[in-house]
Amino acid sequence: MEPRAIDWLRSLGEEDWAALRSRSTRHEFAAGATIFAPTPEPHSVYLLEEGRVRILRLSQGGGEVTLGYVVAGEVFGELPGFGDYPRESFAVARVRSIVWRIPRGVFRDLVGKHPEVAMEITRQMGERMKRVESRVENLVFGDVRSRLATALLELAEDFGRRIGDRQVIDLGVSQGELATLIGSTRQSVNAAMGDLREEGLLRLTGGRAELLDLDRLREIAKSGSR
């Protein structure tokens, strides 16, 4: 897949495509490679053509906080396209990924000329903000169990596939990475996952997670208690 195959970019005319392709650069990143790092003066916006990308920040103490994941067809690192904002996050390829690096000026021209593109990017930003707000709310009001259930449901929505009555997540997120996503420790996540497995709500096989009772997991996510 290349950018023109992405649904929300199909409205671009030949001139805009020529500008996007000639002034942007296409890069391939191996799993674990850093796509961008914090910088006070970022000059580019990124578009994920293929793969999955993890967005994270480092605390002053060096701990990681996962803000979320980017799927193919999404723009990320987009704030410089809308203002003179510093970049405070890292983007890391979760699997082999193909990324387009778009100069800020090209991006601004694109959204300025195409309101439908601006609306789609705004929608993507809104969805990410909604997830972050939900996660912050869970940090304040929820226990580890409810935060874990929320994270698993979100990952299933973004990356899962239905197999019978199960929802399978193929992202392969480690317990340590889940801990950075929900603001907990790996030990606490391990214990909470053990509880979910014992209750028949979760199965871990071959590096993937299978959610066995979505309704019950939603109840746990909502209640924040057993």
Side-chain angles (χ1 to χ4, degrees):
M1 182 179 70
E2 63 174 11
R4 198 157 192 177
I6 296 171
D7 288 344
W8 57 272
L9 286 175
R10 288 179 180 169
S11 62
L12 299 187
E14 291 298 330
E15 182 179 345
D16 293 318
W17 272 115
L20 180 62
R21 293 182 66 90
S22 65
R23 298 175 62 188
S24 303
T25 53
R26 187 173 183 260
H27 304 270
E28 180 175 334
F29 294 90
T34 298
I35 298 168
F36 62 66
T39 178
E41 297 183 359
H43 300 291
S44 302
V45 174
Y46 297 80
L47 172 65
L48 182 60
E49 175 184 325
E50 179 183 327
R52 297 187 183 106
V53 172
R54 177 187 174 210
I55 307 297
L56 64 113
R57 289 191 182 184
L58 296 181
S59 69
Q60 291 186 347
E64 291 185 2
V65 177
T66 297
L67 300 180
Y69 298 89
V70 180
V71 298
E74 288 189 346
V75 167
F76 61 106
E78 69 279 355
L79 284 182
F82 296 97
D84 296 324
Y85 302 105
R87 176 164 286 141
E88 299 178 342
S89 302
F90 290 85
V92 177
R94 191 63 186 75
V95 297
R96 172 189 167 274
S97 299
I98 297 176
V99 175
W100 285 78
R101 184 175 178 269
I102 305 171
R104 181 169 57 185
V106 175
F107 178 81
R108 289 179 176 177
D109 289 345
L110 185 67
V111 297
K113 291 174 63 177
H114 296 275
E116 69 278 10
V117 171
M119 287 294 293
E120 171 59 23
I121 294 170
T122 301
R123 185 196 67 78
Q124 293 178 14
M125 294 171 65
E127 286 292 326
R128 291 192 200 118
M129 181 58 67
K130 180 180 177 183
R131 290 287 171 83
V132 171
E133 288 178 347
S134 174
R135 215 166 285 135
V136 170
E137 182 178 355
N138 269 300
L139 283 172
V140 175
F141 299 108
D143 55 16
V144 173
R145 177 184 168 88
S146 68
R147 301 203 303 266
L148 176 61
T150 299
L152 290 172
L153 290 168
E154 288 178 355
L155 291 172
E157 182 179 342
D158 290 341
F159 306 107
R161 54 194 175 91
R162 195 83 179 191
I163 299 180
D165 58 354
R166 296 168 293 149
Q167 191 79 6
V168 178
I169 306 171
D170 290 318
L171 185 59
V173 178
S174 68
Q175 292 181 7
E177 197 169 315
L178 274 174
T180 71
L181 187 64
I182 67 172
S184 185
T185 64
R186 186 174 61 179
Q187 292 80 4
S188 296
V189 168
N190 182 49
M193 292 185 82
D195 289 344
L196 296 180
R197 288 198 301 269
E198 289 180 5
E199 294 178 37
L201 306 179
L202 174 68
R203 181 187 300 142
L204 302 176
T205 56
R208 69 183 188 182
E210 299 180 19
L211 310 188
L212 307 178
D213 189 335
L214 296 178
D215 289 338
R216 177 60 183 143
L217 286 170
R218 290 188 187 101
E219 290 177 3
I220 293 171
K222 185 177 179 179
S223 68
S225 64
R226 293 174 182 269

